[in-house]
């Protein structure tokens, strides 16, 4: 088991994956809540059946997989549906997260989650690292990546913690306002400072 767990968070499109990929390149174990949230709803999993019973068969694609774009549309326009989905998935995500973290072998491990500040997941992290960008950058990068419409991305941003709320809880901050090369340099420096802590 790793000696230290760093929580990594940031809003949609802030660069959490870009940052965690760079830590992974240094051999650091990454446990990613967004990745786990896909595994727990794979075909054959009980959670997918519950989602189908709740939203109807139309929530599945023809091949039986979850229609994630449709579910995203639904939950970010209905707070009740969002709450229902979160109460189904968050305990499953937490269980798998703890399992994966207990297997992490690197000097420290990173738990990536968009909701570390919102839901009470900070508990098992010794430090919180926040990737910080302006809302304009979040919008631009998310739209370019997912071809989502701006209104939906704005609704997702509005449903998440604010920049200020995240920064208030941060132990460490990476500002991702420049190019990927400069992001990698910042991560490399952070990696060295974490190694010095363990
Ligand atoms: C709604 C779903 C199906 C959309 O899937 P999709 O593949 O389009 O997006 P993905 O899962 O990669 O998430 C992308 C980003 O959306 C944002 N997001 C996702 N879920 C939430 C949420 N419950 N609240 C706020 N923002 C969220 C995050 O910034 C996340 O990084 C999916 O996000 C989901 O199942 N969400 C509920 C589970 C959850 O809370 N996951 C967050 C990690 S704990
Ligand atoms: N410094 C940067 N310069 C240019 N593009 C970037 C930079 N950082 C991230 N990106 C790009 O912006 C998009 C969003 O980044 P990334 O997927 O890492 O964010 P995220 O926080 O993991 O997003 P989500 O919350 O949606 O999972 C990606 O397409 C990524 O390649």
């Amino acid at each position: 088991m790793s000696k230290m767990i760093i929580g990594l968070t940031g809003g949609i499109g802030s660069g959490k994956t870009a940052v965690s990929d760079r830590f992974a390149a240094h051999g650091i174990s990454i446990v990613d809540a967004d990745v786990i949230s896909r595994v727990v709803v794979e075909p054959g999993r009980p959670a997918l059946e519950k989602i189908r019973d709740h939203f109807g068969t139309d929530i599945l694609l023809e091949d039986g997989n979850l229609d994630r774009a449709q579910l995203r549309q639904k939950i970010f326009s209905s707070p009740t549906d969002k709450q229902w989905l979160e109460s189904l998935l968050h305990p499953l995500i937490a269980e798998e997260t703890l399992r994966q973290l207990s297997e992490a072998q690197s000097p420290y491990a990173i738990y990536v989650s968009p909701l570390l500040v919102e839901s009470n997941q900070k508990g098992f992290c010794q430090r919180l690292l926040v990737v910080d960008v302006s809302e304009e950058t979040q919008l631009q990068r998310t739209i370019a990546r997912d071809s989502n419409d701006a209104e939906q991305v704005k609704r997702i941003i509005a449903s998440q913690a604010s920049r200020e709320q995240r920064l208030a809880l941060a132990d460490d901050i990476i500002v991702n306002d420049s190019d990927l090369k400069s992001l990698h340099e910042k991560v490399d420096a952070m990696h060295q400072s974490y190694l010095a802590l363990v």
Side-chain angles (χ1 to χ4, degrees):
M1 175 128 185
S2 299
K3 290 193 198 122
M4 176 168 75
I5 297 165
I6 311 280
L8 168 59
T9 196
I12 186 161
S14 56
K16 296 180 295 296
T17 305
V19 168
S20 62
D21 283 352
R22 185 67 182 179
F23 279 111
H26 290 287
I28 296 305
S29 303
I30 308 293
V31 178
D32 187 322
D34 282 340
V35 173
I36 294 174
S37 82
R38 291 194 175 81
V39 175
V40 299
V41 297
E42 278 172 358
R45 297 273 185 153
L48 187 59
E49 283 170 29
K50 291 186 181 140
I51 291 171
R52 187 202 55 205
D53 292 346
H54 185 84
F55 291 100
T57 313
D58 281 355
I59 202 70
L60 301 183
L61 297 167
E62 274 186 9
D63 64 6
N65 278 291
L66 180 62
D67 184 345
R68 301 183 69 86
Q70 194 194 145
L71 188 55
R72 187 175 61 212
Q73 179 65 41
K74 280 193 197 295
I75 72 162
F76 291 108
S77 51
S78 161
T80 333
D81 284 340
K82 181 167 177 286
Q83 214 172 20
W84 180 87
L85 184 70
E86 288 176 346
S87 59
L88 171 70
L89 297 185
H90 285 182
L92 301 174
I93 295 170
E95 189 186 347
E96 177 61 14
T97 295
L98 289 173
R99 196 191 65 73
Q100 290 189 13
L101 283 173
S102 73
E103 288 183 350
Q105 296 293 334
S106 51
Y108 66 92
I110 293 202
Y111 175 49
V112 193
S113 167
L115 302 179
L116 274 179
V117 168
E118 292 83 340
S119 54
N120 206 9
Q121 302 168 322
K122 230 195 111 186
F124 46 81
C125 301
Q126 278 80 52
R127 290 182 81 85
L128 185 66
L129 168 59
V130 168
V131 197
D132 183 51
V133 289
S134 70
E135 226 171 79
E136 297 83 75
T137 308
Q138 270 183 285
L139 263 175
Q140 271 172 18
R141 289 185 184 154
T142 307
I143 292 166
R145 185 193 56 190
D146 300 339
S147 56
N148 268 341
D149 64 284
E151 288 316 308
Q152 189 184 65
V153 182
K154 281 185 188 162
R155 276 205 299 275
I156 296 176
I157 292 174
S159 80
Q160 298 182 336
S162 69
R163 229 176 140 178
E164 292 70 26
Q165 284 169 325
R166 275 190 213 99
L167 292 175
L169 292 177
D171 297 292
D172 309 296
I173 299 164
I174 288 184
V175 180
N176 184 17
D177 60 355
S178 181
D179 57 12
L180 282 171
K181 182 171 176 287
S182 109
L183 180 67
H184 289 170
E185 286 165 7
K186 289 176 185 175
V187 174
D188 295 351
M190 201 62 82
H191 172 62
Q192 293 306 327
S193 73
Y194 288 153
L195 285 181
L197 282 177
V198 291

